[in-house]
Amino acid sequence: MNETEPKIRLYVDTPLHEGAEIGLDRGQSNYLVTVMRLEAGAGVAVFNGCDGEWRAEVTDAHRKAATLTARTRMRVQEPLPDLHLLFAPIKKARTDFIVEKACELGCARVRPVITRYTQSDRLNIDRLHAHMIEAAEQCGGVNVPGLDPAQPLGTVLAEWPEERLLIFCDEARTAPPLPTALAETPRGTPAALLIGPEGGFSPEEAERLRAHPAALSVSLGPRILRADTAAVAALALAQVALGDWRA
Ligand code: SAH
Protein backbone atom coordinates (compact mmCIF):
# COMPACT_ATOMS: atom_id res chain seq x y z
CA MET A 1 0.00 0.00 0.00
CA ASN A 2 1.25 3.49 -0.83
CA GLU A 3 2.78 4.80 2.43
CA THR A 4 2.32 8.58 1.78
CA GLU A 5 -0.40 10.41 3.75
CA PRO A 6 -3.77 9.31 2.27
CA LYS A 7 -5.48 12.26 0.59
CA ILE A 8 -8.97 10.97 1.23
CA ARG A 9 -10.44 11.05 4.73
CA LEU A 10 -13.64 9.23 5.64
CA TYR A 11 -15.75 9.20 8.80
CA VAL A 12 -16.82 5.63 9.53
CA ASP A 13 -19.21 4.40 12.19
CA THR A 14 -17.08 1.32 12.99
CA PRO A 15 -14.66 0.50 15.82
CA LEU A 16 -11.10 1.01 14.57
CA HIS A 17 -8.20 -1.27 15.55
CA GLU A 18 -5.46 -3.05 13.59
CA GLY A 19 -7.07 -5.32 11.04
CA ALA A 20 -10.58 -3.91 11.58
CA GLU A 21 -12.84 -4.59 8.58
CA ILE A 22 -14.74 -1.46 7.52
CA GLY A 23 -17.77 -1.96 5.29
CA LEU A 24 -18.62 1.28 3.43
CA ASP A 25 -22.12 2.38 2.54
CA ARG A 26 -23.22 2.89 -1.05
CA GLY A 27 -22.41 6.60 -1.08
CA GLN A 28 -18.92 6.14 0.32
CA SER A 29 -18.24 3.18 -1.99
CA ASN A 30 -19.36 5.16 -5.02
CA TYR A 31 -17.18 8.11 -3.97
CA LEU A 32 -14.02 6.01 -3.48
CA VAL A 33 -14.34 3.56 -6.37
CA THR A 34 -16.27 5.40 -9.07
CA VAL A 35 -15.52 9.07 -8.38
CA MET A 36 -11.98 8.83 -6.98
CA ARG A 37 -11.21 5.64 -8.96
CA LEU A 38 -9.41 3.96 -6.07
CA GLU A 39 -8.41 0.34 -6.55
CA ALA A 40 -7.59 -2.41 -4.08
CA GLY A 41 -4.42 -1.53 -2.19
CA ALA A 42 -5.08 2.22 -2.15
CA GLY A 43 -4.79 4.09 1.18
CA VAL A 44 -7.61 6.00 2.87
CA ALA A 45 -7.55 7.86 6.20
CA VAL A 46 -10.49 6.88 8.43
CA PHE A 47 -11.75 8.17 11.80
CA ASN A 48 -14.79 7.41 13.93
CA GLY A 49 -14.67 10.03 16.69
CA CYS A 50 -13.24 7.77 19.39
CA ASP A 51 -10.30 5.68 18.10
CA GLY A 52 -8.17 8.37 16.49
CA GLU A 53 -7.31 8.39 12.80
CA TRP A 54 -6.18 5.25 11.00
CA ARG A 55 -4.58 4.51 7.66
CA ALA A 56 -6.83 1.95 6.00
CA GLU A 57 -6.39 -0.05 2.81
CA VAL A 58 -9.02 -0.66 0.16
CA THR A 59 -9.38 -4.43 0.30
CA ASP A 60 -12.50 -4.78 -1.86
CA ALA A 61 -13.04 -2.01 -4.43
CA HIS A 62 -16.73 -2.86 -4.93
CA ARG A 63 -18.62 0.09 -6.53
CA LYS A 64 -21.59 -0.29 -4.20
CA ALA A 65 -20.18 -1.99 -1.12
CA ALA A 66 -16.45 -1.45 -0.80
CA THR A 67 -14.44 -2.75 2.13
CA LEU A 68 -11.45 -1.20 3.86
CA THR A 69 -9.11 -2.75 6.40
CA ALA A 70 -7.53 -0.59 9.11
CA ARG A 71 -3.77 -1.04 9.08
CA THR A 72 -1.94 1.57 11.22
CA ARG A 73 -3.05 4.33 13.56
CA MET A 74 -1.81 7.73 12.34
CA ARG A 75 -3.26 9.95 15.11
CA VAL A 76 -4.55 9.41 18.61
CA GLN A 77 -8.02 10.59 19.54
CA GLU A 78 -8.01 14.18 20.79
CA PRO A 79 -10.96 15.66 22.66
CA LEU A 80 -12.56 18.81 21.35
CA PRO A 81 -12.67 21.89 23.61
CA ASP A 82 -15.68 21.66 25.92
CA LEU A 83 -17.59 24.33 23.97
CA HIS A 84 -21.23 24.01 22.90
CA LEU A 85 -23.19 26.16 20.47
CA LEU A 86 -26.86 26.84 21.13
CA PHE A 87 -28.54 28.60 18.23
CA ALA A 88 -32.06 29.37 17.08
CA PRO A 89 -32.58 27.77 13.66
CA ILE A 90 -32.91 30.22 10.80
CA LYS A 91 -33.43 29.71 7.05
CA LYS A 92 -32.32 26.24 5.93
CA ALA A 93 -29.21 27.26 3.98
CA ARG A 94 -27.99 29.51 6.77
CA THR A 95 -28.67 26.86 9.40
CA ASP A 96 -26.62 24.42 7.31
CA PHE A 97 -23.88 27.06 7.26
CA ILE A 98 -23.94 27.50 11.06
CA VAL A 99 -23.70 23.76 11.68
CA GLU A 100 -20.89 23.30 9.16
CA LYS A 101 -18.87 26.24 10.57
CA ALA A 102 -19.44 25.05 14.14
CA CYS A 103 -17.78 21.78 13.16
CA GLU A 104 -14.82 23.46 11.42
CA LEU A 105 -14.37 25.86 14.37
CA GLY A 106 -14.08 22.98 16.84
CA CYS A 107 -17.41 23.09 18.66
CA ALA A 108 -18.05 19.89 20.66
CA ARG A 109 -21.84 19.95 20.59
CA VAL A 110 -24.46 21.79 18.57
CA ARG A 111 -27.88 22.37 20.18
CA PRO A 112 -30.68 23.98 18.19
CA VAL A 113 -33.01 25.91 20.53
CA ILE A 114 -36.50 27.20 19.70
CA THR A 115 -37.08 30.76 20.94
CA ARG A 116 -40.09 33.11 20.86
CA TYR A 117 -39.13 34.67 17.50
CA THR A 118 -37.66 31.55 15.89
CA GLN A 119 -39.07 31.14 12.40
CA SER A 120 -37.78 27.96 10.96
CA ASP A 121 -39.18 25.10 9.02
CA ARG A 122 -38.60 21.68 10.50
CA LEU A 123 -34.93 20.87 11.18
CA ASN A 124 -33.65 17.90 9.22
CA ILE A 125 -31.22 16.51 11.80
CA ASP A 126 -29.94 13.78 9.45
CA ARG A 127 -29.09 16.35 6.79
CA LEU A 128 -27.37 18.59 9.33
CA HIS A 129 -25.38 15.61 10.64
CA ALA A 130 -24.27 14.80 7.09
CA HIS A 131 -23.00 18.39 6.73
CA MET A 132 -21.05 18.00 9.97
CA ILE A 133 -19.44 14.77 8.82
CA GLU A 134 -18.40 16.38 5.54
CA ALA A 135 -16.94 19.34 7.46
CA ALA A 136 -15.05 17.00 9.82
CA GLU A 137 -13.61 15.02 6.89
CA GLN A 138 -12.57 18.27 5.17
CA CYS A 139 -11.08 20.07 8.19
CA GLY A 140 -8.86 17.22 9.32
CA GLY A 141 -10.56 16.76 12.69
CA VAL A 142 -10.92 13.34 14.33
CA ASN A 143 -14.27 14.25 15.90
CA VAL A 144 -17.77 14.93 14.72
CA PRO A 145 -19.58 17.26 17.15
CA GLY A 146 -22.71 16.04 18.89
CA LEU A 147 -25.98 17.30 17.39
CA ASP A 148 -29.11 17.45 19.52
CA PRO A 149 -32.73 17.65 18.43
CA ALA A 150 -34.28 21.13 18.79
CA GLN A 151 -35.50 22.04 22.30
CA PRO A 152 -37.47 25.04 23.58
CA LEU A 153 -35.14 27.63 25.15
CA GLY A 154 -37.19 27.55 28.36
CA THR A 155 -36.57 23.82 28.80
CA VAL A 156 -32.86 24.22 28.11
CA LEU A 157 -32.56 27.00 30.69
CA ALA A 158 -34.60 25.14 33.31
CA GLU A 159 -32.25 22.14 33.00
CA TRP A 160 -29.01 24.12 32.65
CA PRO A 161 -26.04 22.48 34.44
CA GLU A 162 -24.64 25.09 36.83
CA GLU A 163 -21.01 24.19 36.02
CA ARG A 164 -21.36 25.18 32.37
CA LEU A 165 -20.89 28.88 31.56
CA LEU A 166 -23.72 30.12 29.33
CA ILE A 167 -22.32 32.90 27.15
CA PHE A 168 -25.40 34.87 26.13
CA CYS A 169 -24.74 36.85 22.93
CA ASP A 170 -26.96 39.82 23.70
CA GLU A 171 -27.80 41.97 20.67
CA ALA A 172 -28.70 44.83 23.01
CA ARG A 173 -24.94 45.40 22.96
CA THR A 174 -24.83 46.88 26.44
CA ALA A 175 -22.71 44.00 27.77
CA PRO A 176 -18.89 43.89 27.56
CA PRO A 177 -17.37 42.50 24.35
CA LEU A 178 -16.92 38.71 24.49
CA PRO A 179 -13.08 38.77 24.82
CA THR A 180 -13.24 41.26 27.70
CA ALA A 181 -16.03 39.31 29.41
CA LEU A 182 -13.98 36.08 29.22
CA ALA A 183 -10.63 37.63 30.20
CA GLU A 184 -10.73 36.07 33.69
CA THR A 185 -12.30 32.74 32.67
CA PRO A 186 -9.78 29.86 32.77
CA ARG A 187 -9.08 28.07 29.47
CA GLY A 188 -10.94 24.77 29.40
CA THR A 189 -13.95 26.05 31.37
CA PRO A 190 -17.04 24.13 30.16
CA ALA A 191 -18.95 26.75 28.15
CA ALA A 192 -21.80 27.26 25.71
CA LEU A 193 -22.58 30.11 23.34
CA LEU A 194 -26.19 31.17 22.78
CA ILE A 195 -27.17 32.92 19.54
CA GLY A 196 -30.72 34.09 18.88
CA PRO A 197 -32.83 34.05 15.69
CA GLU A 198 -33.11 36.71 12.98
CA GLY A 199 -35.70 38.46 15.14
CA GLY A 200 -33.49 38.45 18.22
CA PHE A 201 -34.57 37.45 21.72
CA SER A 202 -37.91 38.56 23.16
CA PRO A 203 -37.73 41.05 26.06
CA GLU A 204 -38.83 38.28 28.44
CA GLU A 205 -36.15 35.91 27.14
CA ALA A 206 -33.44 38.58 27.39
CA GLU A 207 -34.50 39.40 30.93
CA ARG A 208 -34.54 35.72 31.95
CA LEU A 209 -31.13 35.18 30.38
CA ARG A 210 -29.55 38.23 32.01
CA ALA A 211 -30.81 36.95 35.37
CA HIS A 212 -29.74 33.32 34.83
CA PRO A 213 -27.06 32.27 37.39
CA ALA A 214 -24.87 30.51 34.81
CA ALA A 215 -25.25 33.19 32.11
CA LEU A 216 -22.66 35.77 31.09
CA SER A 217 -24.01 38.51 28.79
CA VAL A 218 -21.58 39.53 26.05
CA SER A 219 -21.54 41.83 23.05
CA LEU A 220 -20.16 40.88 19.63
CA GLY A 221 -19.25 44.44 18.75
CA PRO A 222 -21.12 47.63 17.88
CA ARG A 223 -22.96 46.30 14.80
CA ILE A 224 -25.90 43.91 14.61
CA LEU A 225 -24.64 40.68 13.05
CA ARG A 226 -26.77 38.14 11.23
CA ALA A 227 -27.22 35.01 13.33
CA ASP A 228 -24.85 33.01 11.13
CA THR A 229 -22.20 35.74 11.29
CA ALA A 230 -22.67 35.98 15.06
CA ALA A 231 -22.22 32.23 15.47
CA VAL A 232 -18.93 32.22 13.57
CA ALA A 233 -17.60 35.34 15.33
CA ALA A 234 -18.57 34.07 18.79
CA LEU A 235 -17.09 30.61 18.19
CA ALA A 236 -13.79 32.05 16.97
CA LEU A 237 -13.49 34.42 19.93
CA ALA A 238 -14.48 31.69 22.41
CA GLN A 239 -11.88 29.31 20.93
CA VAL A 240 -9.15 31.92 21.40
CA ALA A 241 -10.25 32.65 24.99
CA LEU A 242 -11.26 29.18 26.21
CA GLY A 243 -10.54 26.61 23.52
CA ASP A 244 -7.68 25.19 21.50
CA TRP A 245 -6.68 28.24 19.47
CA ARG A 246 -3.49 28.89 21.37
CA ALA A 247 0.28 28.63 20.90
N1 SAH B 1 -33.05 41.39 14.62
C1 SAH B 1 -32.36 41.64 15.89
C2 SAH B 1 -30.95 41.06 15.83
C3 SAH B 1 -30.89 39.58 15.78
S1 SAH B 1 -29.27 39.04 15.29
C4 SAH B 1 -32.22 43.13 16.13
O1 SAH B 1 -32.21 43.86 15.15
O2 SAH B 1 -32.01 43.46 17.31
C5 SAH B 1 -29.31 37.34 15.70
C6 SAH B 1 -28.53 36.99 16.97
O3 SAH B 1 -27.14 37.23 16.76
C7 SAH B 1 -28.88 37.81 18.19
O4 SAH B 1 -30.00 37.26 18.87
C8 SAH B 1 -27.62 37.68 19.02
O5 SAH B 1 -27.60 36.44 19.72
C9 SAH B 1 -26.54 37.68 17.97
N2 SAH B 1 -25.96 38.99 17.75
C10 SAH B 1 -25.99 39.70 16.60
N3 SAH B 1 -25.30 40.85 16.72
C11 SAH B 1 -24.81 40.88 18.00
C12 SAH B 1 -24.00 41.80 18.73
N4 SAH B 1 -23.52 42.92 18.17
N5 SAH B 1 -23.71 41.51 20.02
C13 SAH B 1 -24.18 40.36 20.59
N6 SAH B 1 -24.93 39.44 19.94
C14 SAH B 1 -25.24 39.70 18.65
Side-chain angles (χ1 to χ4, degrees):
M1 179 172 70
N2 181 343
E3 286 305 307
T4 55
E5 181 82 9
K7 289 184 179 44
I8 296 172
R9 300 186 77 242
L10 279 187
Y11 172 79
V12 292
D13 192 8
T14 313
L16 293 173
H17 52 80
E18 189 174 348
E21 288 285 299
I22 305 156
L24 298 185
D25 65 28
R26 192 177 177 127
Q28 291 173 320
S29 303
N30 175 62
Y31 171 63
L32 285 194
V33 179
T34 306
V35 175
M36 302 306 290
R37 314 185 75 74
L38 293 193
E39 297 171 354
V44 177
V46 293
F47 65 100
N48 61 5
C50 41
D51 297 324
E53 182 179 55
W54 285 72
R55 178 195 307 280
E57 177 181 352
V58 176
T59 38
D60 178 357
H62 189 288
R63 278 184 322 107
K64 291 186 181 142
T67 305
L68 309 179
T69 305
R71 295 294 185 216
T72 49
R73 186 164 69 179
M74 299 192 290
R75 280 167 58 193
V76 294
Q77 188 60 36
E78 297 128 9
L80 284 165
D82 194 358
L83 178 61
H84 296 178
L85 173 68
L86 280 66
F87 76 99
I90 45 179
K91 299 277 178 299
K92 196 165 74 168
R94 288 182 181 273
T95 294
D96 290 357
F97 176 88
I98 289 178
V99 162
E100 182 180 81
K101 299 314 155 196
C103 188
E104 292 173 58
L105 293 167
C107 178
R109 191 171 167 191
V110 175
R111 304 185 60 187
V113 290
I114 306 302
T115 68
R116 174 87 175 64
Y117 299 147
T118 298
Q119 291 178 5
S120 80
D121 37 24
R122 271 180 48 74
L123 275 182
N124 182 329
I125 292 292
D126 291 343
R127 199 188 75 246
L128 294 178
H129 194 243
H131 278 300
M132 289 170 111
I133 288 173
E134 249 177 70
E137 290 171 341
Q138 173 272 327
C139 74
V142 288
N143 294 284
V144 177
L147 176 60
D148 289 298
Q151 278 188 294
L153 179 60
T155 310
V156 171
L157 294 181
E159 299 166 356
W160 194 259
E162 61 184 17
E163 73 280 358
R164 185 169 295 278
L165 181 65
L166 177 57
I167 303 167
F168 163 42
C169 295
D170 185 349
E171 70 263 16
R173 289 163 292 159
T174 50
L178 192 151
T180 312
L182 292 181
E184 307 303 318
T185 307
R187 187 175 296 279
T189 300
L193 292 159
L194 172 61
I195 306 282
E198 296 295 340
F201 289 101
S202 71
E204 299 74 23
E205 287 169 337
E207 195 180 323
R208 182 171 177 190
L209 281 160
R210 289 181 195 125
H212 194 284
L216 175 69
S217 294
V218 302
S219 147
L220 295 175
R223 286 167 291 280
I224 293 277
L225 310 176
R226 278 190 177 278
D228 41 347
T229 315
V232 172
L235 277 165
L237 291 167
Q239 284 293 23
V240 170
L242 306 178
D244 58 7
W245 291 17
R246 62 180 183 282

